[in-house]
Each structure stands twice: as structure tokens, then as C-alpha cells.
Amino acid sequence: MKKFVFVMMFVLMLALSACGGGGDTDTANDAVEVPAEYAGKTNPVANDAAAVAAGKDIYATNCASCHGDAGAGDGPAGSALDPKPAALNALGSEITDNFLFWRISEGGAMEPFNSSMPAFKGVLTEEQIWQTVHFIRSLK
């Protein structure tokens, strides 16, 4: 029983450390320029129902615990984080696709974000990241 409790605590701590994204989207994202290696990237994945559905599955597995099912930044694992996870459903058109691709790829462990959001470029393929971008765009 003690081993089970220890394992569950470890899993919970891991989940909490894997979330976050700069909940103050208006100030953190406005002043940040997309790095040269990501600037100008466009989504090569067609924005269709299949891509959005694939992105939804990826999001549910990797993002919803912190950002919430509807992208409101209210996931159960994100409640203990500082900064709070971003409300992805409120990003609007001022956040570009290449910005989202960069943030998902590189995570949030850099200025000015300083969040616990992990980098997914070693976990997800570029196609999966772009599918996730399509799903995030579908949140309203």
C-alpha cells in the first residue's frame, strides 16, 4: 500500500510539473516575438474535421490536465501552478499559428513565461503539433 501511495504521489507531482503556460496571456504573449526558427511557419496540415479530431485526442492526452477540457486554463493539475495555465480558448486571432507551434514545441521554461509547460517537440511529431494547433483554434 505504501508503494502505491508513493507512486501516486510521484505521478501527481509529475503531472503538476508538466503544466502551466503563463495564465496572463494578454501581457506575456503580446511582447514576445516568435524566434527566427519558428517565424513564418505555416500549418501544412489541412484544417479539416480529421485534423481537429486528431488534435483533440492529442490535447486530451497532453494538455487538458492543466489547460482544461475546454481550454479555459482550469484543468485539475493546473490549479496549483504559478503561473496558471493559459486560457487557450481566449487566445483570439492575435496569437499566430507559428506562435502556438513554437510554444507547444519549446514549452514555457523561458522568459517571459517561466512556466512549467514542458516542451513537446521530442514527444509529438510536427504533424501532431499542427493538429493540436487546429484543435486549439476550434476552442471558443
Side-chain angles (χ1 to χ4, degrees), residues 36-121:
E37 71 180 284
Y38 292 97
K41 277 192 175 276
T42 58
N43 195 333
V45 176
N47 188 4
D48 57 23
V52 173
K56 181 178 182 177
D57 289 343
I58 295 162
Y59 179 91
T61 301
N62 297 288
C63 314
S65 64
C66 293
H67 291 282
D69 292 335
D74 60 352
S79 64
L81 297 175
D82 182 23
K84 297 292 182 203
L88 301 175
N89 62 354
L91 291 178
S93 60
E94 69 276 359
I95 302 297
T96 61
D97 283 357
N98 61 346
F99 183 93
L100 288 172
F101 184 86
W102 165 52
R103 288 298 316 264
I104 295 167
S105 297
E106 299 295 335
M110 78 280 271
E111 290 288 336
F113 310 110
N114 300 317
S115 74
S116 300
M117 183 175 163
F120 285 98
K121 72 178 177 183

Side-chain angles (χ1 to χ4, degrees), residues 43 45-60 127-140:
N43 195 333
V45 176
N47 188 4
D48 57 23
V52 173
K56 181 178 182 177
D57 289 343
I58 295 162
Y59 179 91
E127 180 179 25
Q128 290 172 315
I129 294 172
W130 284 120
Q131 290 168 330
T132 305
V133 169
H134 280 317
F135 175 71
I136 291 168
R137 290 286 187 213
S138 77
L139 298 171
K140 299 202 183 340

Side-chain angles (χ1 to χ4, degrees), residues 1-11:
M1 181 67 175
K2 286 182 183 181
K3 185 176 181 179
F4 175 76
V5 171
F6 176 76
V7 170
M8 291 308 294
M9 292 293 288
F10 178 76
V11 169

